[in-house]
Amino acid sequence: MSDFEHVFEKPPEGAAADWTIPQNWAAYTEVEHQTWDTLYARQMKILPGRASQAFLRGLEALDLNAGGIPDFDVINPKLQALTGWTVVCVPGLVPDEVFFDHLANRRFVSGQFIRKPDQLDYLQEPDIFHDVFGHVPMLTDPDFAAYMEAYGKGGQRAASLGMLPNLARLYWYTVEFGLMKEADGLRIYGAGIVSSATESVFALDDASPNRLGFDLERVMRTLYRIDDFQQVYFVIDSIEALKEVTLKDFGPVYAALKGQDDLAIETILPTDNVITHGTQAYAENGGRF
Ligand code: PHE
Ligand code: FE
């Protein structure tokens, strides 16, 4: 992903040309499996009534609670049968073009490692809990599956046009930190939220952050922070609606963006569809949980 510094220029020792490595499931320790189980149980106390139907359905379809870290050889046939996606392991962050190529081919890249027992609440680099628990359930939804493939192809194009920073914001505010409207209220679908016990609550219940209706061009102008809870969340009407606006040609959007300044995170524009006008108290008090 483009949000972090890349550690490697080319595939490290032991990785294939497409940067994948074996999951080596048999090598996970008992403690590592327990870490998965602990994180899973903790999220399942919080997520019913908070996570989107699509996410909860996906979790169930993949049976990610079979005990311990999921074995990709077991979940991939199920995922592939549902939407044609598979999950592959990579040794860490990969170059953008490698990431996009995997997505364009319906392969989601996951970290192989799991966080240490003293890092349950926060870690900087995505581990297998974030990547698999957070991201993979949504890939069972046909519309989301199509969106993610299109994102991969769109990434290749945006890179050639110098628009990657803008496209990365779309990923950030949907795939990682997206909220959606459902009949019973707002729900979480972003992987960065559903995989975090604290942000799962903050994103929906806290008075601090702004919650704004999703608007493609607006999102692509909005800066984001990677080191703390978000100060703004964007709310989609449905996955289908997200797919519909993003499957259009971004040429005109990119052209319009060229003449516009980036927006600070807490900005509210007169044209915004404001769902919550946040107090920003959390960020103003220094944040960091
Ligand atoms: N429609 C975009 C383009 O024309 C591609 C894209 C699709 C990007 C879905 C992100 C998500 O470049
Ligand atoms: Fe992620």
Side-chain angles (χ1 to χ4, degrees):
M1 271 186 52
S2 52
D3 311 303
F4 303 93
E5 294 298 314
H6 299 136
V7 186
F8 309 113
E9 299 283 289
K10 56 184 171 65
E13 253 326 280
D18 68 358
W19 289 67
T20 59
I21 56 170
Q23 186 190 15
N24 201 7
W25 189 82
Y28 290 118
T29 66
E30 215 24 66
V31 170
E32 289 174 323
H33 285 303
Q34 272 165 19
T35 298
W36 176 279
D37 290 343
T38 302
L39 290 166
Y40 193 103
R42 193 165 76 158
Q43 286 316 92
M44 291 320 287
K45 284 198 193 123
I46 302 170
L47 292 181
R50 294 179 181 279
S52 69
Q53 289 301 317
F55 177 84
L56 294 171
R57 248 188 270 121
L59 259 190
E60 207 161 301
L62 295 172
D63 192 15
L64 296 183
N65 195 26
I69 297 170
D71 182 345
F72 290 1
D73 290 341
V74 174
I75 61 171
N76 273 335
K78 296 182 200 176
L79 180 58
Q80 182 140 38
L82 287 166
T83 56
W85 276 82
T86 55
V87 197
V88 294
C89 277
V90 288
L93 296 159
V94 301
D96 290 328
E97 62 277 13
V98 175
F99 179 67
F100 295 140
D101 185 64
H102 282 298
L103 293 185
N105 290 287
R106 296 202 176 209
R107 288 187 302 267
F108 191 77
V109 299
S110 169
Q112 191 267 352
F113 76 102
I114 193 157
R115 65 196 73 181
K116 300 276 168 271
D118 63 354
Q119 302 173 309
L120 291 193
D121 290 312
Y122 186 79
L123 78 172
Q124 180 94 27
E125 268 208 73
D127 71 341
I128 195 168
F129 186 76
H130 168 81
D131 284 329
V132 173
F133 181 91
H135 285 281
V136 174
M138 291 302 289
L139 297 173
T140 66
D141 181 276
D143 287 321
F144 200 82
Y147 170 64
M148 289 290 279
E149 178 195 336
Y151 189 94
K153 293 182 176 146
Q156 294 162 335
R157 178 181 182 205
S160 72
L161 297 172
M163 299 306 285
L164 263 192
N166 301 87
L167 193 74
R169 295 171 193 161
L170 174 63
Y171 192 92
W172 192 259
Y173 284 118
T174 60
V175 179
E176 293 293 350
F177 291 97
L179 302 183
M180 82 170 91
K181 266 187 205 143
E182 283 187 359
D184 297 331
L186 296 189
R187 294 290 184 268
I188 308 159
Y189 71 94
I193 316 179
V194 293
S195 63
S196 160
T198 45
E199 195 154 0
S200 290
V201 175
F202 179 88
L204 288 180
D205 295 356
D206 203 277
S208 278
N210 299 330
R211 298 178 186 86
L212 307 176
F214 178 87
D215 176 275
L216 181 65
E217 196 176 307
R218 202 296 183 198
V219 166
M220 286 197 181
R221 290 177 64 194
T222 311
L223 299 172
Y224 59 84
R225 53 187 311 165
I226 66 165
D227 58 338
D228 207 333
F229 294 151
Q230 301 305 302
Q231 287 174 249
V232 58
Y233 299 94
F234 289 95
V235 182
I236 59 172
D237 285 331
S238 66
I239 303 169
E240 224 184 336
L242 173 67
K243 191 182 86 171
E244 199 167 308
V245 289
T246 52
L247 290 193
K248 291 193 181 123
D249 174 16
F250 282 7
V253 182
Y254 289 151
L257 285 166
K258 291 272 190 211
Q260 291 181 301
D261 292 333
D262 291 341
L263 296 171
I265 310 174
E266 71 282 4
T267 305
I268 294 188
L269 299 173
T271 44
D272 284 332
N273 166 14
V274 180
I275 297 160
T276 312
H277 189 144
T279 62
Q280 297 298 336
Y282 172 81
E284 280 164 19
N285 291 331
R288 207 55 196 258
F289 317 110

